[in-house]
Amino acid sequence: VSSISFDGQVAVITGAGRGIGRAHALELGRRGAAVVVNDLAREHADEVVSAIEASGGTAVASYDTVATPEGGKAIIGAATDRFGTIDILVNNAGILRPAYFEDLTLQQLDQVFDTHLRAAFFVTQPAWPVMKEKGYGRVIMTSSNSGLFSHGGNSNYAAAKAGIYGLTKALAYEGAAHGITCNAVLPMAETTISKENPIPGLEEDRGRLLDASDLELMSVRREPRLVAQLVVYLASRECEVSGLAFSAAGGRYARVFVGIAEGWLAEDTGEATVEAIGEHFDEICDIAEHTTPMWLFDEYADVVRRLRATV
Ligand SMILES: NC(=O)c1ccc[n+]([C@@H]2O[C@H](COP(=O)([O-])OP(=O)(O)OC[C@H]3O[C@@H](n4cnc5c(N)ncnc54)[C@H](O)[C@@H]3O)[C@@H](O)[C@H]2O)c1
């Protein structure tokens, strides 16, 4: 395998002062990208810049928040002012404000939506015209297994991360004509994010649903570096896919997709009644035969294929 280089490219990583974002920044810096290391925590951002420079790379810190439009502009401005452009954006910064649904406050909802879902708009929007003009860009969003597969005690986060999946698809569609790809990662890694804000019920559910030896096996494969390898591949010139989501968990890398079952087709629209839905419900739910539409119009094509088969 030839080695993948980022010489001459500029990358912005949000929330890169520690955890998974730090691993992305170090890997991109090591492979020749000029890196904007964004993090609210100044000392953490500075440490990562120093580490990249110490290994011969180029980096600059940005301490702006991802959670406002002004912050987003300033983060992308750090790349364009200092390095003249932006090729790669990894939206990674994040927080947890977990609570059981009935206890969730408006403040917890706002903080999580601002830092994850709205931030993905705030930071990507100022990068978009730069990428569009040069006809090249790699945008990587950080979604979550907690968003697309979910568990309890974290509904604000689950909804924000699932929203990011929708944004990933929409930007992939709009970016296609301009050489801009947009993909999402669902990471799993040992970091401090959930230690600072423990999710109610998570440990208990994990202990109840998985046995101790399974948990032990997973616990030794949780380095952020494992997630960064996939993200850095998605950020490369070599990778041209777009609109896809990938899980990186325990060293297992796999595409995550939304599919649609073959379902039940009412041959005559008059046949489609509440009772008929009930009668055909097993068929409606059966996913043994399914497709994975890439875009909205692929679902149209699916329905049309079924309709044609009936005439
Ligand atoms: N660790 C996991 O298993 C896991 C699982 C699924 C998704 N994720 C996602 O991966 C991303 C990275 O998480 P992590 O586990 O490395 O967490 P982390 O807490 O180690 O790192 C997140 C970083 O984001 C920074 N940050 C927070 N708010 C910010 C803001 N407004 N502006 C700029 N920086 C800000 C923090 O200072 C911190 O350094 C997050 O989006 C998280 O939701 C993590």
Side-chain angles (χ1 to χ4, degrees):
V1 188
S2 65
S3 78
I4 291 181
S5 156
F6 293 86
D7 285 345
Q9 293 201 313
V10 177
V12 173
I13 323 295
T14 68
R18 67 177 194 188
I20 298 169
R22 180 177 187 275
H24 299 337
L26 294 178
E27 189 69 41
L28 283 163
R30 198 174 69 74
R31 290 172 180 271
V35 184
V36 174
V37 178
N38 162 261
D39 208 291
L40 274 184
R42 288 177 176 250
E43 64 285 14
H44 292 166
D46 290 344
E47 181 273 322
V48 176
V49 169
S50 301
I52 293 173
E53 286 175 344
S55 61
T58 306
V60 65
S62 136
Y63 314 121
D64 298 285
T65 179
V66 298
T68 64
E70 300 71 36
K73 278 197 201 100
I75 293 165
I76 300 306
T80 52
D81 293 352
R82 176 69 188 269
F83 302 123
T85 192
I86 173 170
D87 302 283
I88 296 157
L89 168 61
V90 185
N91 286 301
N92 163 84
I95 55 165
L96 292 177
R97 293 292 178 269
Y100 281 123
F101 187 56
E102 66 271 30
D103 303 325
L104 191 69
T105 64
L106 183 58
Q107 191 191 27
Q108 289 172 319
L109 186 62
D110 285 343
Q111 285 176 332
V112 164
F113 273 44
D114 285 352
T115 312
H116 292 279
L117 184 55
R118 284 158 62 86
F121 289 82
F122 299 151
V123 185
T124 312
Q125 256 185 331
W128 202 256
V130 183
M131 290 178 170
K132 207 167 152 177
E133 219 215 327
K134 69 199 284 183
Y136 184 85
R138 295 281 181 268
V139 178
I140 293 108
M141 301 286 186
T142 307
S143 180
S144 176
N145 346 63
S146 301
L148 294 185
F149 303 131
S150 231
H151 53 74
N154 210 17
S155 57
N156 50 351
Y157 181 85
K161 289 301 202 185
I164 284 175
Y165 176 76
L167 178 61
T168 302
K169 297 294 290 188
L171 296 194
Y173 195 91
E174 288 196 28
H178 308 288
I180 307 172
T181 67
C182 183
N183 295 288
V185 63
L186 286 65
M188 259 193 224
E190 180 76 35
T191 69
T192 39
I193 193 167
S194 58
K195 293 192 177 115
E196 286 168 0
N197 289 284
I199 298 165
L202 186 67
E203 289 305 322
E204 293 85 331
D205 286 353
R206 218 175 355 221
R208 195 167 43 83
L209 298 169
L210 297 171
D211 74 41
S213 69
D214 292 352
L215 286 172
E216 204 180 307
L217 195 59
M218 283 292 282
S219 72
V220 294
R221 290 178 149 245
R222 289 175 64 85
E223 310 104 277
R225 190 194 77 83
L226 292 172
V227 179
Q229 304 310 302
L230 170 72
V231 166
V232 169
Y233 178 68
L234 295 174
S236 71
R237 298 179 187 90
E238 282 76 357
C239 179
E240 294 182 336
V241 302
S242 196
L244 301 185
F246 299 91
S247 165
R252 193 279 295 269
Y253 304 94
R255 186 175 156 196
V256 174
F257 54 89
V258 174
I260 185 157
E262 199 52 16
W264 169 63
L265 178 78
E267 293 204 358
D268 179 297
T269 52
E271 268 181 42
T273 61
V274 175
E275 289 71 23
I277 299 288
E279 272 163 40
H280 292 278
F281 209 62
D282 286 347
E283 216 177 313
I284 291 169
C285 294
D286 181 4
I287 57 170
E289 298 281 328
H290 67 268
T291 57
T292 55
M294 189 63 197
W295 309 114
L296 171 69
F297 307 112
D298 297 329
E299 189 188 352
Y300 280 41
D302 249 10
V303 177
V304 166
R305 169 178 57 80
R306 294 290 300 276
L307 288 172
R308 289 210 195 288
T310 67
V311 290

